[in-house]
Amino acid sequence: MAAAAALAVAAPAGLAACGGGDDGNVTLRYAFWDDNQRPAVEAMIDAFNEDHPDITVELEQNPWDDYWTALDTQLAAQSAPDVFWNHVSKFPTFADQDVLLPITEQIDQAGLDTSAYPAALYDSWAYDGEQYGLPKDWDSIALVYRIDALEAAGIDPAEIEDLEWNPDDGGSYVEFLQRLTIDADGDNALSPEFDPDNVEQYGVAMSSSTGQTDWWNYGVQNGCELQPGPFEEYTLDTPECVEAIQFTADLYNRWQVAVPATSSNQPNGGLTYEFVSAGQSATATDGSWTLSAYRDGLDEGNLAVGPLPAGPAGDGTVINGLSHAIYAGTEHPDEAWELVEFLGSEEAQRIATDLGSVWPGVSSLNQGFTDYWAGEGVDVSGFQTAAEGPNIGYPLSLNDSVYAQIAMEEFNEVWLGSRDAQEAATTVAETANAG
Amino acid sequence: MNANSNPGRRKSLHRRHLRSAAEAYAMLAPSIIGFTVFLIAPIIVVVALSFYDWNFLSDPEFVGLANYRDLAGDDRAIQSIGNTFYYVLLNIPAQTVLALLLALAMNAKIKARNAFRVIYVLPWMAMPVALGVIWRWVFDPTFGGLNKFLGLFGVDGAAWLTDSSWAMPVIASVNVWQYTGYTMLFFLAGLQAIPTQLYEAANVDGASKTYQFFKITMPLLRPAMLFVLITSVIGSFQVFDTIHVMTGGGPAGATSTLNYQIYLESFTQRSAGYASMLAVILFGIIAAITLLQVLFFRKRTVYDFS
C-alpha cells in the first residue's frame, strides 16, 4: 500500500527528478522559497563550487505555500531535494517522522565551533538529542516606516523609541498611530472632523497568518507565553495573551488606525510592504527578511526602521531563524553535509550578509548586515536591539499545522470584529492541543 | 461484384481488417496508457487510501471505515458539502442562461459579430490565478475599484470577500464572468447546426419568434444543452483556483467547497487518507448528478435534424 501510494505521488515528481551524476560528479538538489534571497543563494553556491567543482547544485525554488506542499509530496514519493531550507514551525514533525538526516556526528567529526551561533538559535534545531541543522539566519520584528509620512504629520522619529501601549487607553503608541491616520480632508484620527470611512493613510499595517509579525509581539510585550516550554501545550488562551489579541483587534476596530482586516487578512489579503509602498499605511510591523521589498517599493531615503512599542510588561519581539536540512533518503549524504557545512560557515554567510540578504546565523557577522543597510541609508539596528531584548520564538509543536489553520481562521474573524478574542483564543488552543 | 465468390479476396480483406485493427490499437495506445496511468490508477489509489490514515511522511495505516465514520462529526466538511451545492446553484443557472442569451445575440446578424465572439471568450483564456489578483483588487473594500466606484453614487459597498454572506456570490459571479463566453461557444455551434428551413417553414406558417424559440430552437439545442450542463456542472463541483486565490476558503470556511476542503485536509493538515475519503464522496456526488442529468435528457434529445 505504501508503495502504491508513493507511486501515485511519485509519477509527477519522478518525471522532474532527472539529473544525477556522470563521471563521478554528484548533483545535489537544493530547495528554498524566498525570491528576495535568490541572489545570495546563487552567490553562495558559486563560492561552494570553487572548492567543490565535482558537486553540481541544482536550485529548486517554490514560493512559501507551494514549497511545503511540494516538499510533502516529494517526501512521500521518496524523491525530496537533498538539501532544503527548514523552518522552526515545520521542523519538529519532519524530525519526528525521521525524514531528516541527523548531523550530530558530522558536527563532532568536523569539530565545528557551534558557539559561533547564538545558543538559542542553534538549539532550536535539536530534537530528541540529535541536531538537524546549522542556523542559516535569524530574524526579528520591528516597526518599519515611511520617513515622509512622519514628516508630514510633524512627528520626530526619535519619539518611536519611547512609545508605549496599554489595553485601556492605548497609550502613546495608539496616539502616535492616530496622528498618522489621515482622512481624505487631511484630518487625522485625533481630530473631531476625522472621517473613519474615508481614510487615505492608516497608521499601521499588519498582516500575518500565524501571529509572528502582529499579535505575538504585543503578546511578549504583555507577558504572554504561547507555550510554557518547547513541545508543551499551547497556552494562548491565558489573560495576558487574550489582552494582546484584543489590543490588536482594537487597533483595527476601536482605534481604527490599522489598515482594515478586510484588506489585510491572510492568506489572500495584501502584504504589509504593499500597503506601505502604496502610501496606504505610514508604518508596518514586519520582519527583517522583508527589508529589500520595502527598499524596492519606496523612494531612496524614505525607509526607516524603529523599535516596536513597549507594552505593560516591557519591550519584546518575536525571533526566528532558518536552517539547512538534509533529506534522510539522500543518495549523497557526504556531499550534502559538505554543502550544509559550507552554508553554515562564516565564509558563506558573509556573502549573504554583505548582499544585505538576511541577518546571519553566525553572530560575528551581524555588523556586516548593519553596514550594508547603512550604505543604503537605512538604520536597521532596531531589529538587532529588539532581538537582544526580551523575545519569544515560534512555538515548537508537532501540531503546528493544526495551529496554523485554526489560528488564521479564528483570528481573522477577531480582526474583522466578528468574533470575541477570548472565545477565539480558547477555540484555537483547544483545537491545536487536541491535534 | 460478389466478394464472397472469391476466397482469396476474402482472406486479404480479413487480413486488412486485422491490420487496421492493430493500427487502431497502436494509435489508441498512448491515450489508453495516459488514461490508465493518470486516471484509473489514481482513482484506485484514492479509493484505497480512503481506508488508510496517512501523513505522507510515514507508512499508511489501515483504519477501515474510520475516515467515513469521522465525516459525520466533521462540521467543517459537512458545511463544505453544503457550500459546494450553494456554489453550483449560484453558478450554473446564471452562467447557462447568460451563455444562451449571448449565443442568440451572437447568432444574429449584428455588426462586428466576430469581434464580439472573441471578446466574450477572452476571460476563459486568461489565467485564473492572474484574474484572481485583479479581482481581489476590484473587490478590496478599502482600496479597491468597485467600492470606489459605488462611492461616487453615495453607495457604501460591502466587504465583499470577508463578509460571509457576500463571499460566495462574489466567487460565483467571477466564475460566471469567466466561463460564460466559453459556454456560449457550444450554444453557438448548436444554433448554427439547426437547419434554417425549419424557421422558414415556421415563418410561412405564421409562428411568432417566441413560439419558434420554444418549439424549434430549444428542442434542437438539447444535445448542446446536455453537453454544456454536464461539463459545466462537473467543473462547478470541482471549483478550486478562484477560491484559492480570492478567499482561501474564508471567511470562517464560508467559501470552502468540498474540493477546497480536500486540498486543506491533504496539503495543510497532512491527512491524506481523510482527504481521499472526501474525494471519494465528491466523486460519488458528481457521478450521481451526472447520471441524473443523462437520464433526464435521454428521452428528450434529438440528435438527427434531417
Side-chain angles (χ1 to χ4, degrees):
Chain A
M1 189 59 226
L7 187 74
V9 285
L15 295 176
C18 47
D22 43 64
D23 305 333
N25 282 356
V26 165
T27 299
L28 292 177
R29 292 161 58 209
Y30 171 34
F32 68 107
W33 64 78
D34 188 1
D35 201 43
N36 285 332
Q37 297 185 44
R38 189 172 181 109
V41 167
E42 285 173 348
M44 285 188 284
I45 297 304
D46 286 345
F48 176 70
N49 278 333
E50 282 174 18
D51 288 337
H52 301 86
D54 52 336
I55 301 178
T56 309
V57 181
E58 275 179 7
L59 298 181
E60 297 183 4
Q61 185 185 356
N62 274 315
W64 169 264
D65 282 327
D66 298 336
Y67 180 85
W68 299 106
T69 56
L71 191 57
D72 270 1
T73 43
Q74 289 169 330
L75 287 167
Q78 294 166 9
S79 70
D82 303 281
V83 176
F84 56 90
W85 281 16
N86 209 351
H87 189 272
V88 172
S89 66
K90 314 280 180 180
F91 156 68
T93 302
F94 285 145
D96 188 60
Q97 298 285 325
D98 298 325
V99 296
L100 303 180
L101 190 76
I103 55 172
T104 322
E105 246 173 67
Q106 288 88 326
I107 292 172
D108 283 350
Q109 277 172 9
L112 287 191
D113 174 18
T114 58
S115 68
Y117 311 105
L121 217 52
Y122 182 77
D123 291 342
S124 61
W125 303 105
Y127 184 79
D128 254 4
E130 294 274 8
Q131 187 74 14
Y132 289 93
L134 298 176
K136 164 189 172 306
D137 58 28
W138 64 266
D139 55 68
S140 68
I141 315 302
L143 192 73
V144 183
Y145 62 91
R146 293 176 67 115
I147 294 173
D148 62 355
L150 265 68
E151 275 172 7
I155 299 175
D156 178 0
E159 279 184 41
I160 295 177
E161 306 284 334
D162 303 316
L163 294 177
E164 286 181 352
W165 67 269
N166 67 66
D168 306 317
D169 66 3
S172 57
Y173 178 53
V174 165
E175 198 192 313
F176 164 79
L177 297 178
Q178 283 173 320
R179 287 158 70 192
L180 288 167
T181 303
I182 300 177
D183 70 12
D185 298 330
D187 294 317
N188 72 26
L190 286 169
S191 155
E193 312 282 299
F194 177 67
D195 175 9
D197 294 326
N198 210 353
V199 174
E200 300 249 297
Q201 173 189 284
Y202 286 91
V204 67
M206 302 178 283
S207 65
S208 174
S209 53
T210 53
Q212 185 188 7
T213 58
D214 56 19
W215 79 265
W216 289 359
N217 296 282
Y218 301 125
V220 201
Q221 296 153 14
N222 199 41
C224 147
E225 287 183 331
L226 299 172
Q227 58 181 176
F231 301 102
E232 290 182 36
E233 295 215 317
Y234 290 95
T235 50
L236 54 113
D237 52 347
T238 55
E240 293 81 9
C241 296
V242 171
E243 230 167 45
I245 296 165
Q246 185 58 51
F247 176 69
T248 312
D250 285 349
L251 292 175
Y252 288 111
N253 303 314
R254 179 177 168 199
W255 307 111
Q256 298 178 305
V257 293
V259 171
T262 49
S263 296
S264 67
N265 268 355
Q266 295 302 301
N268 295 111
L271 298 173
T272 40
Y273 66 81
E274 295 167 347
F275 297 121
V276 172
S277 302
Q280 293 157 345
S281 183
T283 77
T285 54
D286 212 343
S288 46
W289 66 92
T290 55
L291 271 172
S292 55
Y294 285 92
R295 181 213 28 215
D296 297 346
L298 290 174
D299 292 338
E300 208 178 322
N302 199 17
L303 167 65
V305 179
L308 292 176
D315 288 325
T317 188
V318 178
I319 58 159
N320 184 46
L322 308 179
S323 77
H324 289 101
I326 302 177
Y327 171 43
T330 177
E331 287 173 24
H332 313 292
D334 296 337
E335 290 83 357
W337 162 249
E338 284 176 52
L339 177 60
V340 165
E341 184 183 7
F342 176 77
L343 293 171
S345 71
E346 192 181 329
E347 181 193 352
Q349 298 199 358
R350 185 188 300 279
I351 296 170
T353 317
D354 290 348
L355 286 169
S357 175
V358 279
W359 287 104
V362 176
S363 312
S364 60
L365 296 170
N366 280 337
Q367 190 59 39
F369 186 78
T370 315
D371 291 347
Y372 170 86
W373 283 98
E376 297 279 300
V378 186
D379 175 8
V380 295
S381 58
F383 287 110
Q384 197 173 355
T385 36
E388 284 162 0
N391 59 60
I392 53 167
Y394 251 84
L396 285 173
S397 172
L398 294 175
N399 293 346
D400 174 74
S401 57
V402 180
Y403 169 82
Q405 184 67 26
I406 190 75
M408 181 170 67
E409 227 176 83
E410 289 287 328
F411 293 135
N412 273 350
E413 294 296 300
V414 177
W415 311 151
L416 290 169
S418 47
R419 184 131 169 84
D420 177 70
Q422 177 71 59
E423 281 174 28
T426 306
T427 307
V428 172
E430 281 174 1
T431 312
N433 289 333
Chain B
M1 181 166 40
N2 187 351
N4 287 338
S5 64
N6 183 343
R9 188 180 164 79
R10 194 166 60 191
K11 214 170 176 180
S12 86
L13 250 184
H14 182 64
R15 211 165 25 226
R16 209 182 310 163
H17 259 299
L18 273 182
R19 204 176 63 202
S20 66
E23 274 170 10
Y25 283 123
M27 308 249 238
L28 281 174
S31 78
I32 288 178
I33 290 169
F35 185 70
T36 313
V37 171
F38 294 109
L39 199 66
I40 303 292
I43 289 175
I44 293 171
V45 172
V46 164
V47 172
L49 265 181
S50 72
F51 301 107
Y52 283 79
D53 189 14
W54 189 38
N55 67 2
F56 291 114
L57 304 178
S58 51
D59 286 345
E61 182 192 339
F62 185 76
V63 292
L65 289 170
N67 288 330
Y68 291 85
R69 277 198 297 270
D70 288 349
L71 177 60
D74 183 352
D75 296 343
R76 181 48 64 81
I78 290 167
Q79 181 196 357
S80 80
I81 295 174
N83 286 344
T84 311
F85 279 94
Y86 179 45
Y87 169 79
V88 172
L89 285 177
L90 286 171
N91 179 233
I92 295 297
Q95 181 176 306
T96 312
V97 170
L98 275 176
L100 182 57
L101 292 177
L102 263 185
L104 290 169
M106 293 299 108
N107 201 34
K109 292 185 178 60
I110 58 167
K111 266 188 192 156
R113 188 168 66 166
N114 287 335
F116 278 114
R117 285 180 185 171
V118 172
I119 288 169
Y120 283 115
V121 181
L122 279 179
W124 172 71
M125 295 165 67
M127 293 280 295
V129 175
L131 288 177
V133 173
I134 308 231
W135 282 113
R136 240 168 47 211
W137 174 79
V138 169
F139 288 112
D140 186 296
T142 314
F143 311 108
L146 180 57
N147 282 5
K148 288 244 157 81
F149 178 73
L150 291 175
L152 297 178
F153 307 97
V155 178
D156 268 342
W160 306 106
L161 293 170
T162 49
D163 180 329
S164 54
S165 48
W166 274 112
M168 194 62 111
V170 167
I171 298 261
S173 60
V174 166
N175 275 355
V176 166
W177 171 83
Q178 187 171 14
Y179 290 101
T180 295
Y182 173 70
T183 310
M184 171 201 76
L185 287 182
F186 296 98
F187 285 131
L188 197 55
L191 286 174
Q192 288 171 348
I194 300 175
T196 47
Q197 304 95 291
L198 295 179
Y199 295 103
E200 285 160 11
N203 278 334
V204 170
D205 291 342
S208 71
K209 287 284 175 204
T210 318
Y211 193 81
Q212 290 180 22
F213 175 75
F214 285 107
K215 293 295 172 184
I216 301 174
T217 312
M218 283 303 280
L220 293 183
L221 261 187
R222 274 189 194 134
M225 186 66 86
L226 173 66
F227 175 81
V228 160
L229 279 181
I230 286 187
T231 53
S232 60
V233 166
I234 290 176
S236 195
F237 269 102
Q238 295 174 339
V239 62
F240 177 83
D241 37 25
T242 315
I243 291 172
H244 191 51
V245 294
M246 290 184 70
T247 63
T255 58
S256 188
T257 57
L258 189 46
N259 208 18
Y260 202 73
Q261 197 65 18
I262 291 169
Y263 163 79
L264 290 179
E265 287 290 353
S266 54
F267 291 114
T268 73
Q269 304 303 310
R270 292 204 180 97
S271 305
Y274 191 77
S276 298
M277 179 277 295
L278 292 178
V280 171
I281 301 282
L282 179 59
F283 184 82
I285 292 174
I286 292 177
I289 284 175
T290 306
L291 186 68
L292 282 177
Q293 291 184 82
V294 172
L295 289 176
F296 178 80
F297 275 94
R298 192 165 65 181
K299 296 232 175 78
R300 298 172 178 78
T301 303
V302 182
Y303 290 96
D304 187 0
F305 296 159
S306 53

Short mmCIF file of all heavy atoms in Angstrom, two decimals, chain A residues 119-157:
data_model
loop_
_atom_site.label_atom_id
_atom_site.label_comp_id
_atom_site.label_asym_id
_atom_site.label_seq_id
_atom_site.Cartn_x
_atom_site.Cartn_y
_atom_site.Cartn_z
N ALA A 119 23.19 30.57 21.01
CA ALA A 119 22.83 29.25 21.55
C ALA A 119 21.36 28.91 21.30
O ALA A 119 21.02 27.79 20.90
CB ALA A 119 23.15 29.21 23.04
N ALA A 120 20.46 29.90 21.53
CA ALA A 120 19.03 29.61 21.37
C ALA A 120 18.72 29.21 19.93
O ALA A 120 17.90 28.33 19.66
CB ALA A 120 18.21 30.83 21.77
N LEU A 121 19.42 29.87 19.00
CA LEU A 121 19.18 29.61 17.59
C LEU A 121 19.65 28.20 17.22
O LEU A 121 18.97 27.44 16.52
CB LEU A 121 19.97 30.65 16.78
CG LEU A 121 19.35 31.19 15.50
CD1 LEU A 121 17.95 31.70 15.75
CD2 LEU A 121 20.22 32.33 14.96
N TYR A 122 20.85 27.85 17.73
CA TYR A 122 21.42 26.53 17.45
C TYR A 122 20.54 25.43 18.06
O TYR A 122 20.24 24.43 17.41
CB TYR A 122 22.84 26.46 18.01
CG TYR A 122 23.54 25.16 17.73
CD1 TYR A 122 24.08 24.90 16.47
CD2 TYR A 122 23.66 24.18 18.72
CE1 TYR A 122 24.73 23.70 16.21
CE2 TYR A 122 24.30 22.98 18.47
CZ TYR A 122 24.83 22.74 17.21
OH TYR A 122 25.45 21.54 16.95
N ASP A 123 20.10 25.66 19.28
CA ASP A 123 19.34 24.63 19.99
C ASP A 123 17.96 24.40 19.39
O ASP A 123 17.35 23.35 19.61
CB ASP A 123 19.18 25.01 21.47
CG ASP A 123 20.53 24.94 22.19
OD1 ASP A 123 21.45 24.30 21.65
OD2 ASP A 123 20.65 25.53 23.28
N SER A 124 17.45 25.39 18.67
CA SER A 124 16.09 25.21 18.15
C SER A 124 16.07 24.14 17.05
O SER A 124 15.01 23.71 16.62
CB SER A 124 15.52 26.53 17.63
OG SER A 124 16.30 27.04 16.59
N TRP A 125 17.25 23.69 16.59
CA TRP A 125 17.28 22.64 15.56
C TRP A 125 17.62 21.27 16.14
O TRP A 125 18.03 20.36 15.42
CB TRP A 125 18.26 23.02 14.45
CG TRP A 125 17.87 24.33 13.86
CD1 TRP A 125 18.47 25.53 14.06
CD2 TRP A 125 16.73 24.58 13.03
NE1 TRP A 125 17.78 26.52 13.41
CE2 TRP A 125 16.71 25.96 12.77
CE3 TRP A 125 15.71 23.78 12.49
CZ2 TRP A 125 15.72 26.56 11.99
CZ3 TRP A 125 14.73 24.37 11.72
CH2 TRP A 125 14.75 25.74 11.48
N ALA A 126 17.46 21.15 17.46
CA ALA A 126 17.68 19.85 18.11
C ALA A 126 16.34 19.19 18.39
O ALA A 126 15.36 19.85 18.71
CB ALA A 126 18.46 20.04 19.40
N TYR A 127 16.32 17.86 18.22
CA TYR A 127 15.10 17.12 18.54
C TYR A 127 15.52 15.75 19.03
O TYR A 127 16.30 15.06 18.35
CB TYR A 127 14.21 17.01 17.31
CG TYR A 127 12.88 16.33 17.56
CD1 TYR A 127 11.83 17.04 18.15
CD2 TYR A 127 12.69 14.99 17.26
CE1 TYR A 127 10.61 16.42 18.41
CE2 TYR A 127 11.46 14.37 17.51
CZ TYR A 127 10.44 15.09 18.08
OH TYR A 127 9.24 14.49 18.34
N ASP A 128 15.04 15.37 20.22
CA ASP A 128 15.34 14.06 20.77
C ASP A 128 16.84 13.77 20.83
O ASP A 128 17.29 12.67 20.48
CB ASP A 128 14.67 12.97 19.91
CG ASP A 128 13.45 12.39 20.63
OD1 ASP A 128 13.12 12.91 21.73
OD2 ASP A 128 12.85 11.45 20.10
N GLY A 129 17.61 14.77 21.22
CA GLY A 129 19.04 14.55 21.41
C GLY A 129 19.88 14.59 20.15
O GLY A 129 21.09 14.41 20.21
N GLU A 130 19.26 14.82 19.01
CA GLU A 130 20.03 14.91 17.75
C GLU A 130 19.92 16.32 17.19
O GLU A 130 18.90 16.99 17.37
CB GLU A 130 19.48 13.92 16.70
CG GLU A 130 19.67 12.46 17.06
CD GLU A 130 21.03 11.92 16.64
OE1 GLU A 130 21.89 12.72 16.21
OE2 GLU A 130 21.23 10.69 16.76
N GLN A 131 20.98 16.74 16.49
CA GLN A 131 20.97 18.05 15.83
C GLN A 131 20.59 17.84 14.37
O GLN A 131 21.08 16.91 13.71
CB GLN A 131 22.36 18.70 15.95
CG GLN A 131 22.44 20.13 15.45
CD GLN A 131 21.77 21.13 16.40
OE1 GLN A 131 21.47 20.80 17.54
NE2 GLN A 131 21.50 22.32 15.91
N TYR A 132 19.70 18.70 13.86
CA TYR A 132 19.22 18.50 12.48
C TYR A 132 19.52 19.69 11.56
O TYR A 132 19.02 19.74 10.45
CB TYR A 132 17.72 18.22 12.47
CG TYR A 132 17.37 16.85 13.01
CD1 TYR A 132 17.05 16.65 14.35
CD2 TYR A 132 17.37 15.74 12.17
CE1 TYR A 132 16.73 15.39 14.84
CE2 TYR A 132 17.05 14.48 12.64
CZ TYR A 132 16.73 14.31 13.98
OH TYR A 132 16.43 13.06 14.45
N GLY A 133 20.29 20.64 12.04
CA GLY A 133 20.59 21.76 11.16
C GLY A 133 21.54 22.75 11.79
O GLY A 133 21.71 22.77 13.02
N LEU A 134 22.20 23.54 10.94
CA LEU A 134 23.02 24.66 11.40
C LEU A 134 22.27 25.93 11.05
O LEU A 134 21.72 26.04 9.95
CB LEU A 134 24.38 24.64 10.68
CG LEU A 134 25.25 23.41 10.92
CD1 LEU A 134 26.51 23.51 10.06
CD2 LEU A 134 25.61 23.27 12.38
N PRO A 135 22.25 26.91 11.97
CA PRO A 135 21.49 28.13 11.70
C PRO A 135 21.96 28.82 10.42
O PRO A 135 23.16 29.01 10.21
CB PRO A 135 21.77 29.00 12.93
CG PRO A 135 22.09 28.02 14.01
CD PRO A 135 22.83 26.90 13.32
N LYS A 136 21.00 29.15 9.57
CA LYS A 136 21.28 29.86 8.33
C LYS A 136 21.18 31.37 8.57
O LYS A 136 21.95 32.13 8.01
CB LYS A 136 20.24 29.43 7.28
CG LYS A 136 20.13 30.31 6.06
CD LYS A 136 18.92 29.90 5.24
CE LYS A 136 18.65 30.88 4.11
NZ LYS A 136 18.52 32.27 4.53
N ASP A 137 20.21 31.76 9.37
CA ASP A 137 19.97 33.18 9.59
C ASP A 137 19.10 33.37 10.83
O ASP A 137 18.70 32.39 11.46
CB ASP A 137 19.27 33.80 8.37
CG ASP A 137 17.94 33.12 8.05
OD1 ASP A 137 17.29 32.58 8.97
OD2 ASP A 137 17.54 33.10 6.88
N TRP A 138 18.84 34.60 11.16
CA TRP A 138 17.84 34.88 12.19
C TRP A 138 17.04 36.09 11.76
O TRP A 138 17.45 36.84 10.87
CB TRP A 138 18.46 35.08 13.57
CG TRP A 138 19.36 36.29 13.70
CD1 TRP A 138 20.72 36.32 13.54
CD2 TRP A 138 18.97 37.63 14.02
NE1 TRP A 138 21.20 37.58 13.73
CE2 TRP A 138 20.15 38.41 14.03
CE3 TRP A 138 17.75 38.24 14.31
CZ2 TRP A 138 20.14 39.77 14.31
CZ3 TRP A 138 17.73 39.60 14.58
CH2 TRP A 138 18.92 40.36 14.57
N ASP A 139 15.86 36.25 12.35
CA ASP A 139 15.05 37.42 12.04
C ASP A 139 14.29 37.87 13.27
O ASP A 139 14.10 37.09 14.21
CB ASP A 139 14.08 37.12 10.89
CG ASP A 139 13.21 35.91 11.16
OD1 ASP A 139 12.34 35.97 12.06
OD2 ASP A 139 13.38 34.88 10.46
N SER A 140 13.92 39.13 13.27
CA SER A 140 13.08 39.64 14.35
C SER A 140 12.09 40.63 13.73
O SER A 140 12.15 40.90 12.54
CB SER A 140 13.93 40.34 15.42
OG SER A 140 14.48 41.52 14.88
N ILE A 141 11.20 41.13 14.57
CA ILE A 141 10.15 42.03 14.08
C ILE A 141 10.41 43.43 14.61
O ILE A 141 10.79 43.60 15.77
CB ILE A 141 8.75 41.55 14.55
CG1 ILE A 141 8.60 40.04 14.37
CG2 ILE A 141 7.64 42.31 13.84
CD1 ILE A 141 8.79 39.52 12.97
N ALA A 142 10.21 44.42 13.77
CA ALA A 142 10.38 45.81 14.20
C ALA A 142 9.34 46.69 13.50
O ALA A 142 8.51 46.18 12.74
CB ALA A 142 11.80 46.30 13.89
N LEU A 143 9.39 47.98 13.81
CA LEU A 143 8.44 48.91 13.18
C LEU A 143 9.13 49.55 11.97
O LEU A 143 10.10 50.29 12.12
CB LEU A 143 8.02 50.00 14.18
CG LEU A 143 6.83 50.85 13.75
CD1 LEU A 143 5.53 50.06 13.84
CD2 LEU A 143 6.73 52.12 14.58
N VAL A 144 8.62 49.22 10.78
CA VAL A 144 9.17 49.77 9.54
C VAL A 144 8.29 50.97 9.17
O VAL A 144 7.07 50.89 9.28
CB VAL A 144 9.12 48.70 8.43
CG1 VAL A 144 9.75 49.21 7.16
CG2 VAL A 144 9.81 47.44 8.90
N TYR A 145 8.90 52.10 8.79
CA TYR A 145 8.04 53.26 8.49
C TYR A 145 8.57 54.11 7.35
O TYR A 145 9.73 54.04 6.97
CB TYR A 145 7.82 54.10 9.75
CG TYR A 145 9.07 54.71 10.36
CD1 TYR A 145 9.51 55.98 9.99
CD2 TYR A 145 9.80 54.01 11.32
CE1 TYR A 145 10.65 56.55 10.56
CE2 TYR A 145 10.94 54.56 11.89
CZ TYR A 145 11.35 55.81 11.51
OH TYR A 145 12.49 56.36 12.07
N ARG A 146 7.64 54.93 6.84
CA ARG A 146 7.97 55.91 5.79
C ARG A 146 8.38 57.20 6.46
O ARG A 146 7.60 57.78 7.22
CB ARG A 146 6.74 56.20 4.91
CG ARG A 146 6.24 55.08 4.07
CD ARG A 146 4.97 55.54 3.35
NE ARG A 146 5.29 56.58 2.39
CZ ARG A 146 5.15 56.43 1.06
NH1 ARG A 146 4.68 55.29 0.58
NH2 ARG A 146 5.47 57.40 0.24
N ILE A 147 9.56 57.68 6.13
CA ILE A 147 10.03 58.93 6.73
C ILE A 147 9.12 60.09 6.32
O ILE A 147 8.76 60.94 7.13
CB ILE A 147 11.49 59.19 6.33
CG1 ILE A 147 12.37 58.10 6.95
CG2 ILE A 147 11.94 60.58 6.75
CD1 ILE A 147 13.82 58.14 6.51
N ASP A 148 8.68 60.10 5.04
CA ASP A 148 7.85 61.24 4.58
C ASP A 148 6.51 61.30 5.32
O ASP A 148 5.98 62.39 5.55
CB ASP A 148 7.66 61.20 3.06
CG ASP A 148 6.93 59.95 2.56
OD1 ASP A 148 6.64 59.06 3.38
OD2 ASP A 148 6.65 59.88 1.34
N ALA A 149 5.98 60.13 5.73
CA ALA A 149 4.70 60.14 6.44
C ALA A 149 4.86 60.78 7.81
O ALA A 149 3.99 61.53 8.28
CB ALA A 149 4.15 58.72 6.56
N LEU A 150 5.97 60.47 8.49
CA LEU A 150 6.21 61.06 9.81
C LEU A 150 6.45 62.57 9.70
O LEU A 150 5.93 63.35 10.49
CB LEU A 150 7.40 60.38 10.50
CG LEU A 150 6.99 59.24 11.45
CD1 LEU A 150 6.43 58.07 10.69
CD2 LEU A 150 8.15 58.81 12.34
N GLU A 151 7.21 62.95 8.67
CA GLU A 151 7.48 64.37 8.47
C GLU A 151 6.18 65.14 8.24
O GLU A 151 5.94 66.18 8.85
CB GLU A 151 8.41 64.58 7.25
CG GLU A 151 9.87 64.47 7.60
CD GLU A 151 10.77 64.49 6.36
OE1 GLU A 151 10.25 64.71 5.24
OE2 GLU A 151 11.99 64.27 6.53
N ALA A 152 5.32 64.58 7.38
CA ALA A 152 4.05 65.26 7.06
C ALA A 152 3.20 65.42 8.31
O ALA A 152 2.44 66.39 8.43
CB ALA A 152 3.30 64.49 5.99
N ALA A 153 3.29 64.45 9.23
CA ALA A 153 2.48 64.54 10.45
C ALA A 153 3.21 65.32 11.54
O ALA A 153 2.69 65.46 12.66
CB ALA A 153 2.15 63.12 10.93
N GLY A 154 4.41 65.80 11.25
CA GLY A 154 5.17 66.57 12.22
C GLY A 154 5.65 65.73 13.39
O GLY A 154 5.70 66.21 14.54
N ILE A 155 5.97 64.46 13.11
CA ILE A 155 6.43 63.58 14.19
C ILE A 155 7.94 63.39 14.09
O ILE A 155 8.46 63.06 13.03
CB ILE A 155 5.73 62.21 14.11
CG1 ILE A 155 4.22 62.39 14.26
CG2 ILE A 155 6.28 61.26 15.16
CD1 ILE A 155 3.43 61.12 14.09
N ASP A 156 8.62 63.60 15.21
CA ASP A 156 10.05 63.36 15.28
C ASP A 156 10.29 61.86 15.43
O ASP A 156 9.78 61.25 16.37
CB ASP A 156 10.61 64.11 16.50
CG ASP A 156 12.10 63.87 16.68
OD1 ASP A 156 12.69 63.13 15.85
OD2 ASP A 156 12.65 64.41 17.65
N PRO A 157 11.05 61.25 14.49
CA PRO A 157 11.27 59.80 14.57
C PRO A 157 11.81 59.34 15.92
O PRO A 157 11.61 58.18 16.30
CB PRO A 157 12.29 59.54 13.45
CG PRO A 157 12.09 60.66 12.49
CD PRO A 157 11.67 61.84 13.29
#
